[in-house]
Amino acid sequence: MKKVGIIMGSDSDLPVVEKGIKVLEDYGIPFEVHVFSAHRTPEEARDFSRSAREKGFGAIIAAAGMAAHLAGAIAANTTLPVIGIPIKSAAFGGLDALLSTVQMPSGIPVATVAVDGAANAAHLAAQIIAVGDAGLAEKLDAARAKNSAGVLAKNAAVEEKYNH
Ligand code: RP5
């Protein structure tokens, strides 16, 4: 199975990123985690991106806050799918990172999830890997069914309490 690369701009992003790591672990998808910064360690970020396809990665998740250029810098150096997670920061509540991540020039896409949306970044990475993996696709279907069953149970509880 293809691996997912998880890159974050700082270890201060890890508490958010861990929610995505858990999703990948639950699906049994192999992954690597690194701290590479577009600004502080640009050579490491570039080298990872350029070699990721030949090293067996199928998608890359990039998390960064503030002037969040990491996902875009990675996307500039690979044609693997790149998923950006804008990380919330104190000054602008994540709007700074959201705009920095999502507003990419034509030809260099970054699939940007919600501010602090690490779980959905991992679900999307799983869906990308599942394009070529029928067993993983079955796990995704099972997870969707479990998700629906949980919501239906909550609906039943609310209806039971209020609808007489
Ligand atoms: C970004 O700056 C990082 O991704 C992090 O979200 C933010 C702050 O980094 P630290 O100063 O906490 O290392 O590059």
Side-chain angles (χ1 to χ4, degrees), residues 31 34 67 88 97 102 105 110 116 123 127 147 150 154 158:
F31 60 85
H34 302 277
K88 194 178 203 171
V102 77
V110 168
D116 285 356
H123 285 296
Q127 291 177 201
N147 196 350
K154 289 173 186 170
V158 169

Side-chain angles (χ1 to χ4, degrees), residues 62 70-76 82-85 101-102 104-105 108-113:
L70 180 61
I74 288 172
V82 176
I83 303 164
I85 308 172
T101 303
V102 77
M104 288 297 293
I108 316 291
V110 168
T112 306
V113 296

Side-chain angles (χ1 to χ4, degrees), residues 142-163:
R144 287 282 178 101
K146 189 177 171 192
N147 196 350
S148 293
V151 173
L152 289 172
K154 289 173 186 170
N155 174 58
V158 169
E159 288 182 351
E160 170 70 19
K161 184 171 181 182
Y162 293 106
N163 300 349

Side-chain angles (χ1 to χ4, degrees), residues 6 11 58 61-62 67 105 112-113 132 141 155 164:
I6 305 170
D11 64 349
I61 294 171
T112 306
V113 296
D141 285 340
N155 174 58
H164 299 292

Side-chain angles (χ1 to χ4, degrees), residues 47-115:
D47 291 350
F48 176 86
S49 309
R50 288 191 176 170
S51 63
R53 187 182 292 277
E54 69 197 39
K55 287 180 177 165
F57 290 93
I60 300 173
I61 294 171
M66 304 202 294
H69 301 132
L70 180 61
I74 288 172
N77 284 295
T78 181
T79 53
L80 288 174
V82 176
I83 303 164
I85 308 172
I87 300 291
K88 194 178 203 171
S89 61
F92 298 100
L95 183 59
D96 45 356
L98 174 61
L99 297 180
S100 300
T101 303
V102 77
Q103 288 286 57
M104 288 297 293
S106 179
I108 316 291
V110 168
T112 306
V113 296
V115 172

